[in-house]
Amino acid sequence: MVKDPRPGRVKTRLAADIGAIPATWWMRHQLRGLLRRLRDPRWDLVLAVAPNGAVASPVFPHDLARVAQGPGDLGDRMGRLLRNRPSNVQRAAPALGGGSSAARRSRRAEQTSWAAPCCIIGADIPGITPAHIARAFQALRGSDAVFGPAPDGGYWLIGMRGVRPPPPGLFQGVRWSTDHALSDTLSTLPNHRIALVDTLRDVDTAADLA
């Protein structure tokens, strides 16, 4: 999940500390490195973009599949991604010959049903590596849902196995941007087997950059 990295749209708390332009520069740099690291043949990489109109933004790599996050709060948007196959994926035309591995991965992302293991991550966590994502998918082999906790009580990753749809009450009543976000979300998954993987820190303020 990623916001259009433009001044005033991303990292507003960080921008209050260091300025909108440096905060936007940091987000673009962070996103570029994250996407470079997470290109991996073991999974399909799809950008869930906000606002909806930014799905066609040239800021994002042209070869990666994209889908609009849609309306609502964070829970509404994540729930939609976990429940529904993104039917409005937008991607650039494949490279000449159409045979590149990136183009093949984009086509698979467009064709794959999301009634399969799926992990959602945030874009502002510098420490994410392919090993972290692989451990999350591995955990889903024996669990219904997996979370990557954050030190502030939230989480940087949520994944679901896909054997059954998420419960209707998923994310209801979650106190986002508080130290209750993870515990509140767990309470909306009764009778689900939960796995926890690596704890990673996101960047919200200038202090977090240290």
Side-chain angles (χ1 to χ4, degrees), residues 31 43 46 76 82-83 91-92 103-104 114 116 165 174 182 193 201 209:
L31 179 62
W43 49 75
V46 178
D76 295 328
L82 289 170
R83 291 187 180 95
R91 60 181 176 83
R104 288 195 298 272
W114 280 31
V174 173
L182 177 56
R193 294 171 298 171
R201 182 184 299 276
L209 290 177

Side-chain angles (χ1 to χ4, degrees), residues 99-112:
S100 73
S101 60
R104 288 195 298 272
R105 285 197 296 272
S106 288
R107 285 195 291 271
R108 287 204 308 272
E110 191 167 1
Q111 295 163 0
T112 299

Side-chain angles (χ1 to χ4, degrees), residues 1 5 7 50 65 80 85 141 159 178 191 209:
M1 298 185 78
R80 188 177 301 114
R85 176 187 179 276
R141 293 184 179 182
T178 74
N191 305 315
L209 290 177

Side-chain angles (χ1 to χ4, degrees), residues 40-166:
D40 194 292
R42 291 174 291 179
W43 49 75
D44 292 311
L45 187 60
V46 178
L47 300 181
V49 179
N52 293 350
V55 74
S57 172
V59 170
F60 305 118
H62 73 279
D63 62 311
L64 287 182
R66 310 171 195 176
V67 60
Q69 291 183 20
D73 67 12
L74 180 59
D76 295 328
R77 290 177 279 129
M78 289 200 299
R80 188 177 301 114
L81 294 172
L82 289 170
R83 291 187 180 95
N84 304 319
R85 176 187 179 276
S87 58
N88 57 336
V89 166
Q90 177 167 339
R91 60 181 176 83
L96 290 176
S100 73
S101 60
R104 288 195 298 272
R105 285 197 296 272
S106 288
R107 285 195 291 271
R108 287 204 308 272
E110 191 167 1
Q111 295 163 0
T112 299
S113 166
W114 280 31
C118 172
C119 288
I120 298 174
I121 63 170
D124 58 351
I125 301 91
I128 300 177
T129 68
H132 293 118
I133 304 301
R135 280 194 286 272
F137 278 116
Q138 178 71 26
L140 284 175
R141 293 184 179 182
S143 304
D144 299 310
V146 62
F147 289 85
D152 60 5
Y155 48 96
W156 63 271
L157 175 145
I158 177 175
M160 300 204 74
R161 190 176 182 185
V163 174
R164 54 175 169 166

Side-chain angles (χ1 to χ4, degrees), residues 192-204:
H192 283 64
R193 294 171 298 171
I194 305 296
L196 299 179
V197 290
D198 306 83
T199 298
L200 296 177
R201 182 184 299 276
D202 62 357
V203 171
D204 287 326

